[in-house]
Amino acid sequence: MEDNPAASADVAKNRALLQQLEQLLGHHRVISDAQRNEHYRTGFRSGEGSAVAVVFPETLMQLWHTLEVCVEAGAIIIMQAANTGLTEGSTPNGHDYDRPIVVINTLQMNSIHLLGDGAHRGEQIVALPGATLHSLEKLLAPLQRSPHSEIGSSCLGASIVGGIANNSGGALCQRGPAYTELAVYAQVNADGHLQLINHLGIDLGETPQEILTNLENGTFFQVGKLPHPTGARARMASDRDYVARVQDVDADSPARFNADPRRLFEASGCAGKVAVFAVRLDTFPIPERTRTFYIGSNDADVFARLRRGLLTELPSIPLLGEYLHRDMFDLAADYGKDNFYTIEKLGTRRMPRFFALKGRIDAWLEKQTWAPRYFSDRLLQRLSRLLPQHLPERMLDYREKYQHHLIVKIADDSIEPAQQWLQGFFAHRDNTGDFFACDAKEASKAMLHRFVSAGAAMRYQAVHCRTVGELLPLDIALRRNDMDWEEKLPAEIADQLEYRLYYGHFLCNVFHQDYILKKDADPAAVKKAMLKLLDSRGARYPAEHNVGHLYQAPDAQTSFFEQLDPTNTFNPGIGKTDKHRRCCNCG
């Protein structure tokens, strides 16, 4: 067999790159063995690809030098934190890249700095790239403040920067998508040079050494407001316009979606096309009082009118409004029961470690010939059958009466007006349905039931993989003025489905739609037909999980990616864009 000079040269270059990384970070923080780093090259739900190495810098300066080494070697860089995304956005995708790939895991750099003094302490924070929502919740709790997102992503250990990079949504309709215009990030310019940009609005020094050392230590010389590029206002540390936007119920566009050009700004929505070192974010006061109302109806039109009224006729809009269809209620009650008990008994703070451990066990079991597919899910599902009924009696009663369920949480001075408004709403003969005010236990269980519904379809598909087809999950944003929110599928699509499961953030008109296909259904064909139908309805997708490698990025988002990363060094192929290097001005 003749030698392949090009292949030999590639092997030599990769070996030299590995040696440089090991010299910089130490041998134990560079994993090049494919079996040992498989967990980091595999998406949370799907997707995987090859990489020369997965590396774990422990300081911001190590991260900067790692980027320098990779850029000098002409390698692809994929930034990764907790890898909890659902659309394959933080892992390699396949094996058809034109350059070696280095995955940089940032979880070791997890500090959070509180800004403000006295009564204003913690009103803003600076989070480093590995800091998690769950750790921020814990840090803010004594200050009676909370982060942008709460139960949900925080249970999985999702990172703060990951949420910003993907304009992630969430249940809290007063806060909108995760967003900031204040960040420190590195990008490769059109000349192929790595540059560090400090748009944090904080004086950290001049050189990368000064900026990153001071940032890591929390040595802030001056905290101020950074002017917006237009000069019209100071840069925002959250989407302060969102409440007015979601209240505009007559607008012919969605309230939020990942590719919204309004919220693509530097680190926000970057999808890993730059390396984010820190973000500066607002935090939010915890309400003094809250009350949760559980609402049911069999008429989708009633819920459409309910949504408009809750957003426009109260002193302030609800904190959240979470929807469950009866079919999703049933599936979550059965296939989310063990997760429900685990979170209820262990608390949310232990869940990131639990899910990470389960992921590693699943990866190990996949390699064992004696273990059936999805062994841990099958085992947990069998054990869950032994658990007693976990849902409150009044929720179960509403399940029997109504197919549409809504959980609405109200705060402080809006509680009594909301209760009176709901009484008046359902007193009208056209508004069939009912509601009840939850006690503390019912409120907690209702929200927990809604949360575990997000994984119930995955569990069902795993347990019944021999008899059902693939899981097709979509997250969509309907127009704010869309009253016809309930999906109606043509027979040619409906006949391909075993289950269609609906849940979501109702007041934002954002829905998660999980479809479990029949065994012989073609997933690609069904998805194509689904997306065509959504296009005809004026919906936008994805709404909050971002394009990853599963969706085609629209033109505005593609242009944004190219502006951030002109040489296509970071996370190439995201949004089904080109994976190859762009030369630009680098000769």
Side-chain angles (χ1 to χ4, degrees):
M1 180 181 297
E2 294 184 4
D3 292 336
N4 185 330
S8 299
D10 288 342
V11 170
K13 288 179 181 178
N14 291 348
R15 187 180 299 119
L17 174 58
L18 282 174
Q19 288 175 347
Q20 284 185 284
L21 292 171
E22 289 174 352
Q23 288 173 359
L24 173 63
L25 302 175
H27 183 78
H28 61 291
R29 292 201 291 269
V30 178
I31 305 178
S32 57
D33 180 80
Q35 287 192 326
R36 290 179 57 217
N37 66 28
E38 181 183 15
H39 170 74
Y40 302 96
R41 296 184 293 100
T42 304
F44 185 79
R45 180 181 275 172
S46 64
E48 62 86 27
S50 55
V52 170
V54 180
V55 301
F56 302 84
E58 293 186 328
T59 68
L60 296 183
M61 279 308 301
Q62 284 187 349
L63 173 56
W64 173 253
H65 291 316
T66 300
L67 295 173
E68 288 182 316
V69 167
C70 292
V71 171
E72 180 65 26
I76 286 169
I77 299 166
I78 296 179
M79 305 299 297
Q80 177 190 94
N83 190 21
T84 57
L86 301 181
T87 56
E88 307 176 10
S90 57
T91 57
N93 176 253
H95 312 278
D96 57 344
Y97 295 87
D98 62 339
R99 293 153 285 163
I101 297 173
V102 175
V103 177
I104 302 178
N105 186 284
T106 64
L107 284 180
Q108 298 298 312
M109 298 162 287
N110 57 8
S111 297
I112 301 172
H113 303 300
L114 297 174
L115 301 182
D117 296 314
H120 300 288
R121 180 170 171 78
E123 289 186 357
Q124 287 191 333
I125 60 98
V126 171
L128 301 195
T132 64
L133 275 169
H134 127 272
S135 61
L136 180 56
E137 280 184 341
K138 183 178 179 180
L139 182 66
L140 292 175
L143 304 176
Q144 289 299 296
R145 301 193 69 82
S146 62
H148 162 267
S149 298
E150 296 178 13
I151 185 170
S153 296
S154 57
C155 284
L156 302 175
S159 72
I160 298 166
V161 166
I164 293 296
N166 292 300
N167 283 147
S168 297
L172 302 176
C173 60
Q174 291 186 357
R175 301 182 191 176
Y179 183 73
T180 186
E181 295 167 353
L182 300 161
V184 176
Y185 61 94
Q187 66 181 161
V188 176
N189 64 21
D191 295 320
H193 298 143
L194 183 70
Q195 55 188 13
L196 185 68
I197 297 170
N198 177 14
H199 284 171
L200 206 62
I202 298 175
D203 183 3
L204 296 167
E206 298 297 329
T207 67
Q209 173 78 34
E210 291 174 332
I211 291 170
L212 298 179
T213 300
N214 289 324
L215 179 58
E216 188 131 42
N217 296 334
T219 307
F220 302 155
F221 301 117
Q222 182 179 354
V223 178
K225 296 180 179 179
L226 189 68
H228 198 272
T230 63
R233 58 169 172 78
R235 296 194 183 196
M236 296 192 296
S238 63
D239 188 355
R240 295 196 301 264
D241 302 329
Y242 187 71
V243 170
R245 185 170 178 82
V246 78
Q247 283 186 297
D248 187 2
V249 294
D250 293 317
D252 194 35
S253 60
R256 58 178 169 92
F257 57 99
N258 290 130
D260 186 353
R262 296 172 53 258
R263 290 298 173 253
L264 299 177
F265 189 91
E266 297 182 348
S268 291
C270 71
K273 297 301 285 183
V274 295
V276 181
F277 283 78
V279 292
R280 179 176 166 186
L281 297 170
D282 292 328
T283 68
F284 303 86
I286 294 175
E288 294 182 8
R289 296 186 300 140
T290 63
R291 182 170 298 166
T292 298
F293 298 99
Y294 199 93
I295 304 169
S297 179
N298 288 315
D299 189 340
D301 291 340
V302 170
F303 264 35
R305 293 191 290 271
L306 183 72
R307 173 181 169 270
R308 291 175 69 91
L310 288 172
L311 287 173
T312 60
E313 299 179 23
L314 299 179
S316 60
I317 68 172
L319 297 176
L320 57 81
E322 292 296 287
Y323 171 77
L324 274 177
H325 188 276
R326 176 191 279 157
D327 291 344
M328 187 74 256
F329 184 109
D330 291 346
L331 203 77
D334 192 355
Y335 290 86
K337 187 190 252 187
D338 58 308
N339 278 335
F340 184 104
Y341 269 100
T342 301
I343 296 171
E344 185 179 51
K345 303 305 180 186
L346 297 182
T348 59
R349 292 177 181 175
R350 298 185 185 181
M351 294 312 295
R353 185 174 297 178
F354 173 82
F355 281 116
L357 177 62
K358 181 181 180 297
R360 284 172 171 77
I361 291 173
D362 288 343
W364 180 80
L365 286 170
E366 283 290 317
K367 298 180 177 65
Q368 311 308 310
T369 55
W370 55 266
R373 198 177 180 199
Y374 303 120
F375 178 79
S376 69
D377 284 291
R378 293 169 182 269
L379 177 61
L380 289 170
Q381 189 59 32
R382 287 198 175 191
L383 293 175
S384 73
R385 309 283 190 198
L386 305 177
L387 297 171
Q389 176 58 255
H390 57 297
L391 297 177
E393 185 175 339
R394 287 201 287 182
M395 281 178 62
L396 294 171
D397 179 55
Y398 268 47
R399 182 262 165 230
E400 294 300 320
K401 292 179 179 177
Y402 305 116
Q403 64 173 316
H404 301 299
H405 297 239
L406 185 64
I407 306 161
V408 176
K409 189 175 182 180
I410 309 288
D412 296 330
D413 293 342
S414 288
I415 293 174
E416 287 73 23
Q419 184 150 359
Q420 294 168 9
W421 187 88
L422 286 169
Q423 289 169 345
F425 179 84
F426 284 108
H428 195 286
R429 66 178 185 179
D430 290 337
N431 294 329
T432 55
D434 206 352
F435 78 99
F436 65 85
C438 300
D439 60 32
K441 189 173 183 179
E442 289 171 327
S444 174
K445 286 178 177 287
M447 276 307 300
L448 191 47
H449 184 55
R450 161 61 185 89
F451 169 63
V452 301
S453 67
M458 292 175 63
R459 169 65 62 80
Y460 182 92
Q461 194 276 336
V463 171
H464 299 279
C465 62
R466 294 192 185 97
T467 57
V468 301
E470 292 188 18
L471 171 65
L472 173 59
L474 300 177
D475 60 295
I476 70 162
L478 298 179
R479 295 167 296 168
R480 283 168 283 174
N481 64 355
D482 196 342
M483 299 289 284
D484 190 17
W485 61 272
E486 187 177 32
E487 185 173 60
K488 300 173 182 65
L489 294 176
E492 58 267 24
I493 296 179
D495 290 346
Q496 305 296 310
L497 307 177
E498 192 78 32
Y499 268 108
R500 33 180 157 161
L501 305 161
Y502 303 103
Y503 56 106
H505 315 303
F506 191 74
L507 298 183
C508 300
N509 240 9
V510 167
F511 294 90
H512 298 281
Q513 301 181 172
D514 288 351
Y515 306 96
I516 298 174
L517 306 186
K518 291 184 177 179
K519 190 67 177 176
D520 58 349
D522 180 349
V526 173
K527 182 176 181 178
K528 183 178 180 180
M530 288 282 192
L531 297 186
K532 183 178 180 180
L533 184 63
L534 291 172
D535 290 338
S536 72
R537 297 175 66 192
R540 299 301 297 265
Y541 50 84
E544 58 185 13
H545 291 156
N546 216 346
V547 288
H549 287 284
L550 299 184
Y551 294 91
Q552 178 71 53
D555 291 344
Q557 195 174 24
T558 299
S559 297
F560 174 67
F561 292 160
E562 291 178 357
Q563 170 207 337
L564 287 180
D565 184 25
T567 63
N568 211 18
T569 295
F570 289 93
N571 215 8
I574 204 75
K576 296 187 180 293
T577 57
D578 185 35
K579 291 182 176 180
H580 294 83
R581 179 176 174 82
R582 287 189 296 270
C583 202
C584 298
N585 303 330
C586 53

